[in-house]
Amino acid sequence: MPEGLKPSKLAEALNKAAEDFVPKSKGTLAAQLEDPDVKDAIINMRRKGMTAVDIVGVLKTLGIETTPSSFNSTFGRILRKAKGGIDAKPKKDRKPNKAADASALSAGSSEESTGGAPKKPAKTSGATPEKATAAKPAVSPAYRDRKSL
């Protein structure tokens, strides 16, 4: 430490700076919106037809910087929490996978299936050999278009 600066004076100066300090923000957006009076005012604004963009504009004039998307997600979380729900968004029920159900039915019981991989049909060495059907060769689109001219 420099010779002229004593620890007691340094501590005094730091404590004075801490007392005079005014934070730029009064907390997080969620902390400000959770106040019951603020929440009621925003609900009233919504009832009157104000959009998130309008409300964010009003908040900006009051010194609260946010985006409409951030406002919607934060305020939605606050409302869900107030209704007694959990903090996270509720999960949507998934639709059943038709392909997985069909393969489970064709495979038999679930004990026989291994990891969800489809079973290959067993090769039959029957008396009637299957004839391979010859598919038409693919035609180039450029050739096909020239034929129509």
Side-chain angles (χ1 to χ4, degrees), residues 12-88:
E12 184 181 330
L14 291 173
N15 285 330
K16 185 173 181 342
E19 288 175 14
D20 295 341
F21 177 72
V22 177
K24 292 180 183 176
S25 173
K26 294 179 182 177
T28 63
L29 178 63
Q32 293 172 341
L33 297 180
E34 282 178 342
D35 182 80
D37 294 334
V38 174
K39 188 169 50 172
D40 291 340
I42 292 174
I43 290 171
N44 188 32
M45 293 168 89
R46 291 274 181 135
R47 282 189 190 130
K48 292 190 178 200
M50 291 182 77
T51 65
V53 175
D54 299 329
I55 296 170
V56 167
V58 173
L59 293 174
K60 189 174 185 176
T61 61
L62 298 171
I64 300 172
E65 293 287 329
T66 188
T67 63
S69 175
S70 179
F71 169 78
N72 276 334
S73 65
T74 303
F75 197 64
R77 186 172 58 245
I78 290 168
L79 291 177
R80 284 190 301 274
K81 200 178 201 182
K83 287 181 181 178
I86 56 173
D87 195 24

Side-chain angles (χ1 to χ4, degrees), residues 100-121:
D101 291 344
S103 68
L105 290 175
S106 67
S109 70
S110 62
E111 296 172 358
E112 295 175 7
S113 66
T114 55
K119 291 185 177 182
K120 294 181 181 178

